[in-house]
């Protein structure tokens, strides 16, 4: 098989249960949308991440906020910067949490921005299809304060990681179309949780419309959350569809570890990406595995 190119992991997590309080990690016996979190309800430090990487050519990574108590969001960034400063530089990019609808948004961003590896903000827009089924609209995407502060991220030199569910894609496009200067990374391919024929058709329509915005990029990651028994063959049509509509220059691969480690090994994920992309050109594969993430998140190495 073709050698796996150099990698920048565009989406992973770390946590230290002594450094921050993670409510969802501390809650025992509670199933999450991705399944039973019990096996990962323990520290996942950069040393654990390196063990999972093994011999794979991972040269840099982007850490995505995990879900600490909101008043500890800056503490999470502080801890991650200390990890990067005292280790091998990982994570080279930090995407932090900030409540863009809150009264202290700009103060929060200012505090995060003290840490040089900060690259962007993620505030999860949608978690499940039931949340806004009554009104048909997402509360954050309809909030003028949230939208105004979202636009301010571009002025601060920051990007936004967009995590939602497929039926929110059209509403998100309407918002983002008015903020063309903001770089946006769609997390986990827009969360294709419904993998029935009808569900995938709705997902395809939504991400194709979102891909019309040139400032929106897409992360291919998190497949295990939506199909615990995934295989390279099962995710191949979705991966190829996303790459076709976004192009390799706006797509990046991520592991979503350790969450996706519930269902597959770290090497299994990258081997799958390598297999699926084997017929792309060397330059296109370089973009998918590292180049797009390097440009989007301004990774220097």
């Amino acid at each position: 098989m073709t050698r796996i190119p150099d990698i920048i992991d565009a989406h992973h997590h770390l946590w230290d249960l002594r450094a921050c309080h993670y409510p969802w990690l501390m809650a025992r016996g509670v199933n999450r949308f991705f399944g039973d979190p019990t096996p990962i309800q323990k520290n996942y430090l950069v040393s654990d991440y390196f063990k999972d990487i093994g011999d794979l050519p991972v040269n840099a990574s982007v850490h995505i906020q995990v879900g600490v108590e909101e008043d500890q969001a800056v503490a999470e960034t502080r801890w991650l910067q200390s990890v990067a400063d005292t280790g091998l530089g990982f994570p080279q990019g930090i995407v932090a949490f900030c409540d863009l609808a809150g009264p202290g948004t700009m103060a929060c961003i200012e505090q995060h921005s003290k840490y040089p590896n900060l690259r962007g903000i993620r505030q999860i827009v949608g978690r499940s299809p039931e949340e806004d089924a009554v009104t048909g609209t997402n509360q954050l995407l309809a909030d003028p304060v949230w939208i105004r502060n979202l636009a301010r991220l571009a002025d601060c030199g920051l990007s936004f990681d967009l995590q939602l569910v497929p039926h929110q894609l059209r509403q998100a496009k309407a918002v983002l179309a008015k903020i063309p200067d903001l770089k946006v990374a769609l997390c986990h391919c827009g969360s294709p949780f419904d993998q029935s024929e009808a569900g995938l058709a709705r997902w395809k329509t939504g991400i194709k419309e979102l891909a019309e915005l040139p400032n929106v990029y897409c992360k291919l990651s998190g497949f295990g959350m939506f199909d615990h028994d995934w295989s390279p063959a099962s995710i191949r049509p979705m991966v190829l569809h996303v790459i076709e509509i976004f192009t390799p220059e706006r797509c990046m691969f991520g592991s979503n570890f350790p969450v996706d480690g519930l269902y597959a090994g770290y090497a299994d994920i990258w081997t799958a990406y390598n297999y699926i992309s084997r017929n792309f050109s060397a330059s296109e594969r370089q973009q998918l595995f590292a180049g797009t993430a390097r440009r989007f998140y301004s990774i220097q190495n």
Side-chain angles (χ1 to χ4, degrees), residues 156-223:
C156 297
L158 299 174
S159 62
F160 183 70
D161 266 49
L162 174 67
Q163 184 164 333
L164 39 54
V165 290
H167 74 279
Q168 299 161 343
L169 287 164
R170 180 166 293 175
Q171 188 185 0
K173 181 189 177 183
V175 171
L176 297 176
K178 299 175 183 177
I179 316 174
D181 295 332
L182 177 66
K183 293 194 303 181
V184 177
L186 178 64
C187 295
H188 309 319
C189 299
S191 304
F193 66 91
D194 180 358
Q195 299 198 357
S196 67
E197 184 176 350
L200 287 174
R202 286 190 294 269
W203 167 76
K204 286 182 178 181
T205 298
I207 63 164
K208 186 174 183 180
E209 291 181 0
L210 191 63
E212 293 171 357
L213 301 179
N215 57 316
V216 179
Y217 294 61
C218 190
K219 290 193 205 183
L220 297 126
S221 58
F223 292 101

Side-chain angles (χ1 to χ4, degrees), residues 130-152:
E130 291 81 19
E131 280 193 352
D132 49 44
V134 175
T135 63
T137 60
N138 178 269
Q139 191 172 23
L140 287 178
L141 291 171
D143 185 336
V145 174
W146 190 86
I147 295 170
R148 183 166 62 249
N149 286 329
L150 181 70
R152 289 175 172 173

Side-chain angles (χ1 to χ4, degrees), residues 190-260:
S191 304
F193 66 91
D194 180 358
Q195 299 198 357
S196 67
E197 184 176 350
L200 287 174
R202 286 190 294 269
W203 167 76
K204 286 182 178 181
T205 298
I207 63 164
K208 186 174 183 180
E209 291 181 0
L210 191 63
E212 293 171 357
L213 301 179
N215 57 316
V216 179
Y217 294 61
C218 190
K219 290 193 205 183
L220 297 126
S221 58
F223 292 101
M225 296 190 297
F226 313 112
D227 177 4
H228 302 341
D229 299 315
W230 71 270
S231 68
S234 69
I235 67 171
R236 183 175 181 269
M238 291 184 287
V239 171
L240 293 180
H241 176 71
V242 169
I243 296 173
E244 179 183 4
I245 61 174
F246 277 94
T247 75
E249 289 72 24
R250 288 197 287 145
C251 288
M252 45 189 144
F253 290 141
S255 70
N256 194 40
F257 247 61
V259 177
D260 264 55

Side-chain angles (χ1 to χ4, degrees), residues 94-107:
I94 298 171
V95 176
F97 173 82
C98 181
D99 180 7
L100 299 180
T105 297
M106 298 314 295

Side-chain angles (χ1 to χ4, degrees), residues 13-91:
H13 309 287
L14 302 171
W15 48 74
D16 184 341
L17 304 184
R18 301 159 300 184
C20 298
H21 180 64
Y22 308 84
W24 70 275
L25 271 173
M26 307 294 190
R28 297 289 177 174
V30 180
N31 267 12
R32 303 293 170 179
F33 75 92
F34 55 80
D36 180 4
T38 301
I40 57 174
Q41 289 182 305
K42 58 185 179 180
N43 284 349
Y44 188 74
L45 307 176
V46 72
S47 57
D48 301 303
Y49 181 58
F50 288 157
K51 288 177 184 177
D52 285 325
I53 289 173
D55 295 330
L56 287 169
V58 180
N59 295 327
S61 74
V62 181
H63 182 280
I64 310 302
Q65 57 88 209
V66 174
V68 298
E69 289 278 12
E70 288 194 13
D71 63 359
Q72 294 186 18
V74 176
E76 181 184 35
T77 299
R78 183 186 310 118
W79 172 67
L80 289 163
Q81 187 66 56
S82 73
V83 170
D85 291 344
T86 57
L88 297 176
F90 287 74

